[in-house]
Amino acid sequence: MDRSIFRYILRYSARQQVVLTLMAAFSFPFLYAFYELPKLIINEAIQGDPADFPVEFFGLEFDQIETTMILSGGFLALVVVNQSFKYVINVYKGITGERMLRRLRFELYGRVLRFPLPTFKKVSQGEIIPMVTAEVEPLGGFIGDAFSLPAFQGGTMIVIISFLMIQNWMMALAAISLYPIQIYIIPRLQRRVNALGKERVRRVRKLSDRIGETVQGVQEVHANDTSNLELAIFSHQLGDIFRVRYQIYRKKFVIKFLNNFIQQLGPFFFYSIGGYFVIAGQLEIGTLVAAIAAHKDLAGPWKELLNYYQMKEDARIKYDQVVSQFDPAHMREPEYQHTEPEGPVKLSGDVAVANLILADEQETNIIDSVSFSTGLDQRVAVVGDSGSGKEHMALLLARLLDPDKGRITVGGVDWAVAPESVTGRRISFVGQNPFIFNATLGDNLFYGLKHRPLQPADYSGKAADEMDFFVNEAKRSANSTDDPNANWIDYAAAGSSGDDDLKQEAMRVVEMVALENDIYSLGLRGTIDPDKNPDLATAILSAREALRDRLKDPEFAPLVEGFDKDSYNTNASVAENLLFGNPVGDAFNPDRLAENEYVLSILDKVGLTDTVLSVGYQVAATMVELFADLPPDHEFFEQFAFISSEDLPEFQALLSRASKDNLGELKDEDRTSLMSLPFKLIPARHRLGLIDDDMRAKLLEARAAFAAGLPDDLQGKIAFFDAEAYNPAANLQDNILFGKVAYGQAHAADRVGELISEVIDSLNLRRVVAEVGLAYDAGIAGSRLSAAQRQKLGIARAVIKHPDLLVVSEATAALDAVSQARIMETIIDEYEGRGLIWVLHRADMARYFDRVLVMRTGRVVESGTPEELDRDGTAFRELVAAE
């Protein structure tokens, strides 16, 4: 990156800066006329000698009033012209600044993608993120103003000062006499403010880093009761920032005071010196009025120029900090990411490592003069103790690290110059902690297949216009014009020809890593759009029918209470019985039905309002009585989930204000709180005896009224239960079940789950359901998955792109022994005759490989087949014996 912000601006926006400067220059004649015309209006038209009229313009004669109107009209026209110049200049420089800001952010993000991995040990995301987002934001505004603002405002000042000098040079010099003092003092004060600003930025970055570290380690904070320590450290950092900002404010307002004081001296000189000249008859009153007006306008550009100096210094500091932070040593060139091979690349032959050296920050060799060669048709195990350097060896082979010395060639390709389009497509790497993106399982699984857009997305109408706009602006900002909505999946890399083949391959790979049952379970909890997937919706309805047949068996019949529009479901809540469907969106949130106007109107219509309020009072009284002396973590709080331990005191206070006889006098807030409780009641589970037969009948009446009278604006906010239709708001399992698992039956949930699995298997739907599981959202950094699931998904992602060389670094260490054995066995079988290098956490597992490399203190000390190395006196035997 350019070391100077002005050099960066000129490199990428020189033409725009010239245009802005020329527009500013073209505006100055009109600006001068804007100040000259009021003097003519007052002196020549309004105060002119009537004997001088009529006057002649362009062959036409005008009297005094007509002349005044014409000149006033000219003044109005100049207002429009000058404001138009300002509008055009401001819009153009705003667009220029935003395009340059977009370019800068894109370049910074691209640099982050090229940072050497060790850089991320020194720079945290808490520092990088604000630099790319918030800290460079002011640079966009400055870039637009870099040349145009001093040209426009400086030119405006020159025009105004020239106008004042023409009127009376002594008065003009007096008005600007203190400007040199400002020019001398203000920059010096500003430099102190800038130094403090740099310190503030540094401390805010440290604060961001601390917040990010706390969020990541919050589990340890809770586990070790160190919240007071963290708060103390945070408070201390806030204090440091406050101290710096306090000094900044003091100095900034000294600058502001000086600016304002000196600016107000101008009117003093006009009133005193100008007044003297008018009284002495040496200056016309119109000229003095015009001069005062011009001087008033002089304050604006002068203030803008002073602000520009401050803004320039701030921008320079921010840009210098960004450049220094985003230019780490050994960063790869842009060509590494963007170079495309001329044709399909297939690596074959050998992996050759010669005199490889990798040093840490203290110049200690982690990899020390390593040399070996192995074929891309061999399965190689790398073993060693924790300080052997085996993990770094894996990173070097995958070209995630660059060696300090030595050479790696894979299939004849020199790793030092190989672009990412080769290393990232023909090599797969998976380590101990694969990162899972905040996307679906499928997106994460197919992530390694998305190198370039292969099939464009279809756009029409407004969407096509928006896409054209995006592409044009991306080109102007030197951003990527690739469409993220295009189809990026390289089917051929996965050995597939399309979506159907890819799904089959995905299921095969997840079975290899023992993830199929997890994805199947997630699929049961997933939803589909029946309009987009009608075949699956029909198949799920068939599964529903098959489950009904199974539930006719007296052995299974008590396990499920099915939905029936004419019957009250005792295993469902009052809210579920009333709505008799799944809410779509928040309009009918079950927790807030007591606030829903339409629901309340239905309760009034069927005469249930007082009953619900009374039941709510009884529920609250019972809960308070039961829970009053129980600890917050007691199991009853989970079983009777009406009132949490945190809300219990509020209901105790509410009951002290109310009695069963004055419920109608309650405040709206208290009334809503009580009425919200009955909606959570499940008779079969809670067994409080509050939902009697009469109330059930009324609720069925309310159910019918609710569905029949649903307003147009609420249509579609409920997906009603229908025995013959797929419910788009329910997951696959609930659609198959079409009812509620009965409370009180031994192991009912497990037995029903087994029945559903049997039905799905009988209809050959397991793989289809698992495919739905691929749409499951993994959460931030895979937080919705277990550690084992994240690990398995990372391995599957590496395998599915069919690399020429798969590098695995202790990727199964966190899994149980059974899963480790199964995954290793399937992958070793998969890679028979292909390149596999596996860094093992246990040396005894190396017996399954074709070849073993034994590392110690950064060197390869032994190499051979497992049989050759498994003998007395070898380093390999020592490692096995030590486990």
Side-chain angles (χ1 to χ4, degrees):
M1 293 180 67
D2 293 290
R3 294 293 171 179
S4 165
I5 187 172
F6 282 99
R7 192 176 295 118
Y8 182 83
I9 292 170
L10 289 175
R11 179 186 295 273
Y12 298 114
S13 66
R15 185 175 65 85
Q16 289 82 358
Q17 301 298 336
V18 170
V19 170
L20 284 167
T21 303
L22 290 176
M23 285 195 291
F26 290 150
S27 71
F28 295 148
F30 298 96
L31 182 63
Y32 186 88
F34 175 77
Y35 291 116
E36 181 70 22
L37 199 55
K39 183 183 75 172
L40 295 176
I41 293 173
I42 295 174
N43 292 340
E44 305 297 333
I46 298 176
Q47 291 189 330
D49 189 346
D52 294 336
F53 293 93
V55 295
E56 184 174 328
F57 289 113
F58 303 109
L60 300 176
E61 293 185 346
F62 302 94
D63 60 23
Q64 188 172 11
I65 294 177
E66 290 173 336
T67 300
T68 300
M69 294 299 105
I70 290 173
L71 292 177
S72 298
F75 178 80
L76 182 60
L78 287 173
V79 169
V80 173
V81 170
N82 283 303
Q83 293 304 314
S84 297
F85 268 111
K86 287 183 178 180
Y87 171 79
V88 172
I89 290 173
N90 285 332
V91 170
Y92 192 79
K93 73 180 182 182
I95 293 174
T96 299
E98 285 302 312
R99 286 173 178 160
M100 288 291 288
L101 178 60
R102 179 176 176 177
R103 174 191 287 269
L104 178 60
R105 281 178 170 154
F106 185 80
E107 183 173 351
L108 294 179
Y109 186 70
R111 284 175 166 264
V112 171
L113 296 179
R114 304 200 312 275
F115 277 5
L117 286 186
T119 302
F120 295 103
K121 296 179 180 179
K122 307 173 188 176
V123 183
S124 70
Q125 63 179 12
E127 295 177 89
I128 294 175
I129 294 172
M131 279 193 282
V132 177
T133 55
E135 290 186 24
V136 299
E137 182 76 26
L139 296 182
F142 174 74
I143 289 171
D145 288 334
F147 294 95
S148 64
L149 189 146
F152 183 73
Q153 301 297 345
T156 300
M157 278 196 66
I158 292 173
V159 169
I160 294 174
I161 292 172
S162 300
F163 175 78
L164 293 175
M165 294 289 287
I166 291 172
Q167 312 313 310
N168 187 288
W169 66 271
M170 294 179 62
M171 185 172 59
L173 289 177
I176 63 172
S177 60
L178 295 180
Y179 279 13
I181 298 177
Q182 282 180 285
I183 294 173
Y184 178 80
I185 294 177
I186 300 303
R188 284 160 175 76
L189 292 174
Q190 186 61 43
R191 277 196 287 272
R192 298 180 187 177
V193 173
N194 291 340
L196 289 170
K198 192 172 183 178
E199 175 69 10
R200 180 191 65 82
V201 170
R202 187 180 67 82
R203 292 188 179 276
V204 169
R205 285 181 187 167
K206 289 184 65 178
L207 184 71
S208 299
D209 188 29
R210 189 69 189 182
I211 294 172
E213 190 175 53
T214 302
V215 170
Q216 290 181 324
V218 69
Q219 181 173 305
E220 296 301 322
V221 174
H222 294 317
N224 294 283
D225 186 28
T226 55
S227 57
N228 288 328
L229 172 63
E230 296 299 329
L231 288 170
I233 295 172
F234 192 72
S235 176
H236 185 76
Q237 290 181 312
L238 289 176
D240 289 341
I241 294 173
F242 174 81
R243 177 179 56 80
V244 173
R245 292 185 69 92
Y246 177 71
Q247 296 180 56
I248 290 175
Y249 282 128
R250 290 181 60 184
K251 288 178 171 55
K252 283 181 70 173
F253 284 112
V254 167
I255 295 173
K256 189 172 183 179
F257 168 79
L258 290 175
N259 282 336
N260 290 337
F261 175 75
I262 293 173
Q263 190 60 43
Q264 294 305 315
L265 288 177
F268 164 76
F269 289 122
F270 279 112
Y271 295 143
S272 56
I273 300 174
Y276 168 79
F277 285 130
V278 170
I279 294 171
Q282 299 179 27
L283 188 69
E284 295 177 328
I285 185 65
T287 303
L288 178 60
V289 171
I292 292 174
H295 180 269
K296 184 179 179 182
D297 289 345
L298 185 64
W302 178 241
K303 184 177 181 180
E304 289 290 337
L305 288 174
L306 292 175
N307 289 339
Y308 171 80
Y309 176 80
Q310 298 176 10
M311 183 169 61
K312 177 179 74 69
E313 291 302 302
D314 287 343
R316 181 183 61 79
I317 290 172
K318 284 185 171 62
Y319 184 81
D320 290 346
Q321 289 177 326
V322 166
V323 168
S324 63
Q325 200 74 50
F326 282 78
D327 193 21
H330 310 300
M331 185 174 70
R332 292 170 179 173
E333 296 300 319
E335 292 75 18
Y336 167 72
Q337 287 180 335
H338 304 304
T339 300
E340 281 288 316
E342 294 182 359
V345 176
K346 179 74 174 175
L347 299 177
S348 60
D350 293 332
V351 177
V353 176
N355 301 316
L356 211 62
I357 295 176
L358 176 68
D360 60 15
E361 296 175 5
Q362 285 76 39
E363 301 300 324
T364 301
N365 288 349
I366 305 171
I367 301 295
D368 191 3
S369 301
V370 169
S371 297
F372 67 86
S373 178
T374 184
L376 280 171
D377 57 353
Q378 287 188 307
R379 297 163 295 188
V380 180
V382 182
V383 298
D385 56 30
S386 59
S388 63
K390 59 183 181 178
E391 297 90 351
H392 291 87
M393 191 71 244
L395 293 171
L396 288 165
L397 290 172
R399 218 208 159 183
L400 298 176
L401 284 179
D402 290 326
D404 295 308
K405 294 180 180 178
R407 184 181 184 190
I408 300 175
T409 58
V410 179
V413 178
D414 187 350
W415 245 212
V417 296
E420 200 168 68
S421 58
V422 173
T423 61
R425 299 180 194 180
R426 305 316 311 157
I427 306 292
S428 279
F429 173 85
V430 56
Q432 273 190 301
N433 300 294
F435 186 83
I436 304 302
F437 294 92
N438 185 14
T440 67
L441 297 186
D443 288 334
N444 275 283
L445 179 60
F446 304 139
Y447 187 73
L449 302 174
K450 300 178 179 181
H451 313 299
R452 298 290 184 272
L454 300 178
Q455 297 176 4
D458 292 329
Y459 295 102
S460 60
K462 183 178 179 181
D465 294 338
E466 291 177 351
M467 187 59 194
D468 290 341
F469 177 81
F470 161 77
V471 171
N472 291 332
E473 285 300 321
K475 289 179 179 178
R476 293 182 177 186
S477 304
N479 282 199
S480 169
T481 58
D482 292 337
D483 181 8
N485 297 318
N487 188 348
W488 289 63
I489 294 178
D490 184 355
Y491 295 102
S496 306
S497 59
D499 286 333
D500 293 338
D501 284 349
L502 184 63
K503 288 178 181 178
Q504 291 184 17
E505 177 64 11
M507 291 301 104
R508 187 185 74 86
V509 170
V510 298
E511 287 175 6
M512 287 176 57
V513 299
L515 192 58
E516 72 277 12
N517 289 332
D518 302 82
I519 292 183
Y520 165 75
S521 297
L522 296 175
L524 284 177
R525 292 153 50 188
T527 60
I528 63 168
D529 184 342
D531 294 330
K532 295 181 179 179
N533 203 339
D535 292 340
L536 179 55
T538 301
I540 295 299
L541 291 178
S542 298
R544 178 190 296 178
E545 189 62 33
L547 182 63
R548 282 181 189 168
D549 293 339
R550 297 297 306 274
L551 291 174
K552 292 176 182 178
D553 187 325
E555 180 185 354
F556 303 126
L559 298 178
V560 175
E561 183 177 4
F563 290 130
D564 184 343
K565 66 177 181 179
D566 298 321
S567 300
Y568 189 93
N569 192 310
T570 59
N571 287 282
S573 68
V574 170
E576 290 171 313
N577 272 284
L578 172 62
L579 300 179
F580 200 66
N582 291 99
V584 178
D586 295 328
F588 292 107
N589 186 332
D591 292 331
R592 306 191 68 176
L593 289 183
E595 304 171 28
N596 188 290
E597 294 182 3
Y598 178 64
V599 171
L600 293 177
S601 70
I602 294 297
L603 296 181
D604 280 339
K605 183 176 181 180
V606 300
L608 266 178
T609 300
D610 292 339
T611 303
V612 171
L613 183 59
S614 176
V615 170
Y617 176 84
Q618 294 177 68
V619 170
T622 302
M623 295 301 102
V624 168
E625 182 179 353
L626 285 175
F627 297 159
D629 300 320
L630 294 180
D633 58 349
H634 197 279
E635 60 181 347
F636 277 8
F637 279 106
E638 182 179 353
Q639 182 176 353
F640 299 94
F642 307 112
I643 303 175
S644 66
S645 58
E646 293 82 5
D647 294 335
L648 193 62
E650 295 183 16
F651 279 96
Q652 288 175 323
L654 190 160
L655 291 175
S656 68
R657 300 190 297 268
S659 68
K660 192 172 183 180
D661 298 327
N662 70 344
L663 296 179
E665 302 173 7
L666 288 174
K667 295 180 180 179
D668 289 344
E669 182 179 353
D670 291 344
R671 183 183 178 91
T672 299
S673 295
L674 289 179
M675 291 187 67
S676 67
L677 298 179
F679 288 111
K680 304 173 184 178
L681 271 175
I682 302 174
R685 176 184 179 185
H686 300 125
R687 302 182 183 280
L688 297 178
L690 298 176
I691 310 296
D692 56 23
D693 291 341
D694 183 60
M695 186 174 180
R696 293 181 188 181
K698 289 281 190 182
L699 283 169
L700 291 176
E701 183 182 347
R703 175 194 295 177
F706 177 89
L710 196 65
D712 291 340
D713 61 326
L714 294 177
Q715 293 288 339
K717 302 297 183 182
I718 287 284
F720 290 107
F721 296 138
D722 185 340
E724 306 303 325
Y726 183 91
N727 191 308
N731 60 41
L732 298 189
Q733 181 169 276
D734 287 345
N735 265 287
I736 295 172
L737 184 61
F738 197 69
K740 305 294 288 189
V741 175
Y743 290 97
Q745 297 291 324
H747 309 295
D750 292 338
R751 295 169 67 188
V752 170
E754 292 173 2
L755 285 175
I756 291 176
S757 292
E758 291 175 8
V759 166
I760 287 176
D761 288 338
S762 68
L763 296 174
N764 296 318
L765 293 177
R766 179 171 289 270
R767 175 160 286 193
V768 178
V769 170
E771 290 176 1
V772 175
L774 292 177
Y776 181 78
D777 189 352
I780 298 173
S783 58
R784 298 183 68 195
L785 304 177
S786 68
Q789 288 172 333
R790 291 194 293 271
Q791 195 70 55
K792 293 175 181 179
L793 182 58
I795 298 171
R797 178 170 61 199
V799 170
I800 199 171
K801 67 179 185 180
H802 293 201
D804 298 322
L805 175 63
L806 173 61
V807 180
V808 183
S809 181
E810 299 187 341
T812 62
L815 303 179
D816 61 87
V818 174
S819 295
Q820 285 185 30
R822 174 181 170 182
I823 292 172
M824 179 171 287
E825 180 182 353
T826 56
I827 290 181
I828 288 176
D829 289 344
E830 176 78 8
Y831 276 79
E832 184 176 1
R834 296 164 61 190
L836 172 64
I837 297 178
W838 197 313
V839 174
L840 298 172
H841 62 286
R842 284 175 33 213
D844 66 322
M845 302 170 77
R847 65 174 60 95
Y848 303 109
F849 290 80
D850 302 325
R851 186 179 177 193
V852 181
L853 299 177
V854 182
M855 295 192 66
R856 179 181 290 169
T857 62
R859 295 173 176 269
V860 175
V861 296
E862 290 178 353
S863 174
T865 66
E867 294 77 14
E868 292 171 345
L869 299 182
D870 191 12
R871 52 187 171 80
D872 292 339
T874 64
F876 177 72
R877 175 65 70 84
E878 290 179 13
L879 286 172
V880 173
E883 294 173 350

